[in-house]
Amino acid sequence: SATQTEIAAHDAAGESQGLFDDEAHQGAFKVLRQTFGPAPTAAGRTAGTEPASLMKRLVDALGIDRGEWPTSLLRQLWEDLVQFEAGRRISAQHEARWLNLAGYALRPGYGLAVDDWRVAETWKLLHGKLMFGTPACRAESFILWRRIAGGLTAGQQLALATPLIGSVRQGLRQASGKAKGADFGSNPHESAEVLRLLGACELLPLSVKHDVGELLLDLLHRPRFAALHAAALWAMGRVGARRLVAGPLNGVVAPELAARWLIRLMKVDSTEPLAPFAVMQLARKTGDRYRDIDESSRNSVIAWLSRANAPQRYHQLVREVGALESEDQSLIFGESLPKGLRIQ
């Protein structure tokens, strides 16, 4: 990928921001070295360099809020973290914070030259190689992969999703008394991140997306999993979306399937804050007859959105082809995008 970048200039929103001041970056590098650099033991480190305070110390060193960090700076921080990758072995807290910042620095996995190489290197370093099996570390690993899912290959997404789908299915069977010993659902935070990661894997085969959608709808109709309903609704909105964030047109589930899912989705408690979002995603108008739901389903959705007091922009996106507002982009992605990057 580096060779190809030299042959054809890469032009993306990330590059237009230019380079960040090197002196400020060196301050951030020092903070990362203090936290993840070589030291005899975690207990022997200098006071004030604990992982819990890392983001605050980085903000202080850079002088700007983390939401304002340009993509070029974020990728520099990713390179620094890779240099100090051994530091995640110090303790479970170090690994959780390292994973969190690495995913934040590389999100959304594309947008800057050689991001494909960066994602590939991250895969080599991390897939199947957690140092600590704590719920926090597992959850942070799911967050990392969800954040950079747009840069993963179809094979990588499938490798991540397959065991997670099995875990969710087993958890649902356990709740029905048909299986025992399932871990899914025992930790709401970790389980929610499993669902969100599944929703972000847009390159999964359509047959697998069908399975994921059915599992999510099953979960949404079970009061026992009420703590996971918000994550399931967000994931449902991504799995059945008429417009994908980074996936190809042939990765969109058939409109007939989306219409059937909508019938069940609109039976979910409409007071769930993300229910209108999920419904809008499955019914959003694209102007492409191969992706758009039928008019009868569209009218039912518009009536449901009115009853649910959904934002007017949701009504408009279902009625006609339109662009997302910035807050909708952040909601679809799952958090704010780096400065200069947009989704449609």
Side-chain angles (χ1 to χ4, degrees):
S1 62
T3 302
Q4 292 299 317
T5 303
E6 292 170 4
I7 294 173
H10 189 277
D11 182 19
E15 275 89 6
S16 66
Q17 302 170 65
L19 298 176
F20 196 74
D21 180 70
D22 187 62
E23 183 177 346
H25 169 247
Q26 287 304 313
F29 180 86
K30 181 179 179 181
V31 169
L32 294 175
R33 184 177 59 203
Q34 290 172 338
T35 305
F36 299 112
T41 63
R45 291 181 172 272
T46 306
T49 62
E50 300 83 2
S53 65
L54 177 59
M55 292 303 287
K56 180 181 184 303
R57 288 183 284 123
L58 284 173
V59 168
D60 291 342
L62 293 167
I64 53 174
D65 183 76
R66 68 176 186 171
E68 298 298 311
W69 294 351
T71 313
S72 55
L73 169 64
L74 289 167
R75 298 309 189 258
Q76 286 180 295
L77 295 177
W78 174 86
E79 293 174 9
D80 299 338
L81 285 165
V82 170
Q83 181 175 334
F84 296 124
E85 185 266 338
R88 69 186 178 97
R89 295 164 170 78
I90 298 169
S91 71
Q93 292 74 25
H94 282 81
E95 179 166 48
R97 182 52 61 187
W98 191 97
L99 293 167
N100 180 276
L101 184 54
Y104 187 79
L106 192 50
R107 78 193 200 286
Y110 58 92
L112 214 64
V114 299
D115 269 351
D116 52 350
W117 173 82
R118 294 184 183 99
V119 171
E121 289 299 299
T122 303
W123 182 264
K124 291 177 188 177
L125 281 174
L126 299 178
H127 183 238
K129 298 174 184 176
L130 277 184
M131 297 296 107
F132 299 91
T134 65
C137 288
R138 292 195 301 268
E140 290 296 348
S141 72
F142 298 144
I143 293 171
L144 179 147
W145 296 126
R146 186 252 302 165
R147 280 171 160 165
I148 68 172
L152 296 172
T153 66
Q156 289 167 340
Q157 290 191 6
L158 186 59
L160 287 171
T162 299
L164 300 181
I165 292 170
S167 174
V168 175
R169 182 176 286 113
Q170 187 178 2
L172 291 172
R173 286 176 179 170
Q174 182 190 33
S176 302
K178 298 179 181 179
K180 296 181 180 180
D183 292 327
F184 178 80
S186 59
N187 184 303
H189 174 57
E190 180 183 352
S191 299
E193 293 306 336
V194 166
L195 299 179
R196 287 163 64 84
L197 173 54
L198 288 174
C201 290
E202 294 184 332
L203 301 183
L204 295 176
L206 291 177
S207 60
V208 177
K209 285 190 174 184
H210 178 273
D211 291 343
V212 172
E214 293 295 323
L215 288 173
L216 291 170
L217 286 167
D218 187 359
L219 185 151
L220 282 167
H221 288 88
R222 300 199 189 198
R224 174 175 177 174
F225 293 101
L228 302 179
H229 283 183
L233 284 166
W234 182 88
M236 195 69 210
R238 291 291 301 270
V239 172
R242 302 297 82 206
R243 286 193 177 189
L244 303 181
V245 173
L249 292 181
N250 62 9
V252 177
V253 300
E256 296 80 12
L257 177 59
R260 292 197 298 271
W261 280 351
L262 278 165
I263 294 173
R264 296 164 64 187
L265 193 55
M266 290 187 291
K267 293 178 181 178
V268 173
D269 184 358
S270 61
T271 61
E272 288 277 1
L274 285 176
F277 160 79
V279 169
M280 178 275 290
Q281 281 280 84
L282 270 68
R284 185 180 173 191
K285 192 165 188 177
T286 68
D288 178 357
R289 64 189 180 93
Y290 294 105
R291 287 184 287 161
D292 286 342
I293 60 173
D294 61 273
E295 284 304 309
S296 175
S297 297
R298 188 179 310 284
N299 292 333
S300 296
V301 167
I302 292 172
W304 184 90
L305 290 172
S306 295
R307 293 193 299 272
N309 295 316
Q312 282 303 308
R313 64 182 183 277
Y314 286 7
H315 291 253
Q316 187 173 358
L317 288 169
V318 172
R319 285 197 185 98
E320 57 192 62
V321 180
L324 295 170
E325 295 183 3
S326 58
E327 60 185 286
D328 297 321
Q329 293 181 49
S330 296
L331 182 57
I332 289 173
F333 179 61
E335 63 185 309
S336 64
L337 286 160
K339 287 191 67 177
L341 296 182
R342 291 178 54 86
I343 59 176
Q344 298 300 313

